[in-house]
Amino acid sequence: MAKFVLMTEVKTLREIAEWWECQNDTETEVQLFESFDEAKLATRKTIRRLTRKHDFFPLKRGGGYAPLEQFAHGYDEDLTLLAKIVRYTLGKPEYVYENPSSLDIRATDDGDHYIAFVGTKDLILAEYYGQTLRMNVHNMSDPKNDYFFTYKDSDESDIPTCEISVRLCPVGKIKKKHERKALPKNYETVTFGRYMQDADGETLTPLSWRVLEKRGDMTLLITEKVVDHQQFAANESNDWETSDIRKWLNTEFADRAFDEQEKQQIGEVTKGERIFLLDFDEYLEYFPSPDDARAEYTDYTRSKAYVGTVREPYAFWWLRAPNSDDDWDEDSNVYLYHVCNNGTLNPFERAEYRDGVRPVLWVRSDALTD
């Protein structure tokens, strides 16, 4: 099983509607590796490929690394060093600056045109006319730490127009605690409970579930389609235990979808929790291919979805996994992972947004109908 996950994400952002100033058009790739050296090599190739492919990337124009070398040379010793670190990081990602703690975070101002930082420890950051580059340059030789590289560009109104991120995450071995029955190629579906699926939001119809796993006399299920749209948490927290969506799944959704006899067939995961969402590792285990993770709308959920997201048959849907890496954003406690309409992961969904819901539960196998 995978020890390292390499996530590459390219976003182009465009202004669309009042509910959200930007809409993500995202191309994401997830790769799994058992070897750190193999993953490190793939990371290096990925960064080089992206800097060559995308015209809006600022560091490689005409064979040079612009704009850093253009404004760094002759201005400040730290800026010159920053340009060298960027160059070496792109060309040789295992490069380590020997004494980063000796450099304070410094700002250099040239008529508000640019500001550049050389950070302490694992992070450097450079910004130029709204273009931001962030990377760590010290962990690439250490398989215990994340390696990340991000680039962001904004327009004159400071609205983001594009982002690139490459992140190598050491996840350790995913241990099998049990033998899992192999699923058919086109997966198995069963019927259990009922829910609103028509656009009128009133008619209850039988609910179709996808079989994820069978363990003894219990079966793990996830709804085949996105069955509702809900906030993760109105208070903007990404904590699953205290979230509004956890409470909603185990009260309103459960009461509407299942009668008392059906509720008795559902296994309790923790006290007060029988219905839940997938986490990050479960997503990787049960959906090895992003295409396999795509989920269609029902007529009911399509009527509730944001206008800007109803562009394809497939919906966005929540995981219960928080994005808790403080290096990504100072407000990362409000961010979560969700699955995009192309089946890939996005780690920047805010908890107060409404997103698709695919409930997950363990149920007695003899209670299911094919």
Side-chain angles (χ1 to χ4, degrees):
M1 300 297 289
K3 295 180 182 178
F4 304 96
V5 178
L6 177 61
M7 288 189 291
T8 304
E9 186 169 67
V10 179
K11 299 181 185 178
T12 56
L13 304 161
R14 57 186 178 85
E15 189 173 356
I16 55 162
E18 292 182 359
W19 63 268
W20 192 21
E21 67 177 4
C22 293
Q23 170 65 42
N24 295 340
D25 292 325
T26 307
E27 175 187 347
T28 307
E29 181 181 357
V30 178
Q31 296 175 271
L32 309 178
F33 299 91
E34 293 189 13
S35 162
F36 175 66
D37 288 338
E38 183 183 4
K40 184 169 68 172
L41 178 62
T43 306
R44 182 187 309 178
K45 290 181 177 179
T46 298
I47 293 175
R48 287 177 175 174
R49 171 173 56 84
L50 290 174
T51 58
R52 288 196 303 267
K53 178 179 178 181
H54 292 279
D55 293 335
F56 53 72
F57 196 84
L59 295 181
K60 193 155 189 172
R61 292 174 183 161
Y65 289 83
L68 279 181
E69 284 192 343
Q70 291 179 4
F71 72 75
H73 182 69
Y75 274 101
D76 185 286
E77 182 178 348
D78 287 334
L79 287 178
T80 304
L81 174 63
L82 177 62
K84 290 180 179 179
I85 291 176
V86 171
R87 184 167 64 250
Y88 275 107
T89 302
L90 288 173
K92 189 180 180 185
E94 66 270 25
Y95 170 79
V96 176
Y97 180 63
E98 294 295 337
N99 191 20
S101 60
S102 67
L103 295 173
D104 296 328
I105 297 179
R106 300 170 183 245
T108 305
D109 190 356
D110 179 23
D112 295 326
H113 293 317
Y114 70 81
I115 186 167
F117 303 88
V118 179
T120 59
K121 298 184 179 179
D122 293 334
L123 182 67
I124 65 172
L125 177 68
E127 185 173 309
Y128 179 77
Y129 287 98
Q131 298 171 335
T132 304
L133 175 73
R134 180 187 298 195
M135 68 183 76
N136 71 346
V137 296
H138 314 292
N139 292 338
M140 197 55 179
S141 297
D142 185 353
K144 295 181 180 179
N145 291 308
D146 287 9
Y147 174 82
F148 64 88
F149 172 96
T150 65
Y151 161 72
K152 182 184 292 184
D153 194 7
S154 302
D155 64 17
E156 295 178 353
S157 301
D158 291 328
I159 295 177
T161 56
C162 62
E163 290 183 14
I164 289 179
S165 63
V166 179
R167 185 177 181 191
L168 177 62
C169 310
V171 298
K173 280 188 175 295
I174 301 175
K175 297 180 180 179
K176 286 189 175 181
K177 298 180 180 179
H178 48 79
E179 290 298 322
R180 184 160 60 94
K181 182 177 178 180
L183 298 176
K185 182 177 181 180
N186 292 325
Y187 68 84
E188 178 183 349
T189 60
V190 294
T191 301
F192 184 67
R194 64 214 57 79
Y195 202 68
M196 301 91 69
Q197 298 178 69
D198 295 335
D200 60 19
E202 298 177 359
T203 307
L204 297 176
T205 55
L207 201 50
S208 179
W209 302 75
R210 173 175 178 164
V211 175
L212 296 178
E213 179 178 339
K214 293 184 178 180
R215 189 192 307 177
D217 61 353
M218 302 295 287
T219 299
L220 182 64
L221 304 177
I222 185 171
T223 54
E224 191 175 15
K225 298 181 179 182
V226 167
V227 298
D228 213 316
H229 274 73
Q230 294 290 328
Q231 286 180 303
F232 191 91
N235 65 359
E236 302 184 5
S237 168
N238 61 10
D239 178 48
W240 163 251
E241 298 296 327
T242 61
S243 66
D244 295 327
I245 201 169
R246 180 176 183 263
K247 180 179 179 181
W248 177 83
L249 285 167
N250 288 278
T251 54
E252 293 180 46
F253 172 76
D255 291 341
R256 180 162 289 179
F258 311 114
D259 59 31
E260 291 303 317
Q261 184 177 358
E262 289 168 334
K263 288 180 183 179
Q264 296 302 314
Q265 307 301 315
I266 302 173
E268 188 172 53
V269 181
T270 60
K271 186 176 181 180
E273 180 182 312
R274 295 176 182 271
I275 307 172
F276 54 100
L277 304 176
L278 293 181
D279 67 14
F280 182 88
D281 289 338
E282 289 166 339
Y283 163 86
L284 293 178
E285 181 177 2
Y286 297 126
F287 299 105
S289 166
D291 286 341
D292 203 35
R294 290 182 171 186
E296 294 182 352
Y297 291 98
T298 63
D299 291 338
Y300 174 66
T301 51
R302 186 178 295 278
S303 68
K304 294 185 68 175
Y306 291 123
V307 174
T309 63
V310 187
R311 297 176 299 178
E312 295 185 6
Y314 302 105
F316 295 73
W317 51 282
W318 284 120
L319 297 184
R320 70 175 192 270
N323 170 37
S324 57
D325 188 341
D326 292 334
D327 286 332
W328 286 81
D329 192 284
E330 61 182 4
D331 296 321
S332 63
N333 64 306
V334 303
Y335 289 116
L336 291 129
Y337 282 94
H338 74 155
V339 180
C340 300
N341 57 359
N342 62 1
T344 59
L345 291 179
N346 176 27
F348 292 109
E349 187 70 348
R350 294 184 65 91
E352 74 273 21
Y353 290 166
R354 290 186 177 272
D355 220 337
V357 185
R358 295 182 75 182
V360 183
L361 51 81
W362 285 97
V363 65
R364 291 184 59 87
S365 302
D366 57 11
L368 301 173
T369 303
D370 294 336

